Amino acid sequence: AQLSAERPIEAISVGASPFTYTARTIGHVFVENGTVALITLERSGATVECPTRTFIPVAANDTVTVDYSGLPDMTFVPSARA
């Protein structure tokens, strides 16, 4: 079966640091540019540190928090489904 995206790729409007994005569905968050000090992913009470310039896999209700001094660009890429 052909895979199709659940939703289109969307830019995330980044607010004040530290900025927290809550995923509405499964997919990946991409953080690039800016001056980023720390990125964390929280799921079910567990928190892990994430590298910059990589796709961060998220499930619905996961949060990605970005601590920055120079505004980064963030993008949400929804997962494809059959």
Side-chain angles (χ1 to χ4, degrees), residues 30-45:
F30 189 69
V31 181
E32 63 181 334
N33 302 323
T35 304
V36 175
L38 180 67
I39 301 173
T40 57
L41 167 66
E42 183 176 347
R43 177 180 293 165
S44 303

Side-chain angles (χ1 to χ4, degrees), residues 1-2 10 17 21 36 49 55 58 63 65 67 71 74 77 82:
Q2 183 74 13
E10 63 184 59
S17 181
Y21 172 77
V36 175
E49 201 170 309
F55 283 95
V58 293
T63 59
T65 300
D67 187 358
L71 188 69
M74 292 179 66
V77 181

Side-chain angles (χ1 to χ4, degrees), residues 3-36:
L3 294 179
S4 61
E6 179 180 282
R7 295 184 358 231
I9 293 172
E10 63 184 59
I12 297 170
S13 181
V14 179
S17 181
F19 172 72
T20 299
Y21 172 77
T22 302
R24 295 180 299 218
T25 188
I26 61 171
H28 292 80
V29 172
F30 189 69
V31 181
E32 63 181 334
N33 302 323
T35 304
V36 175

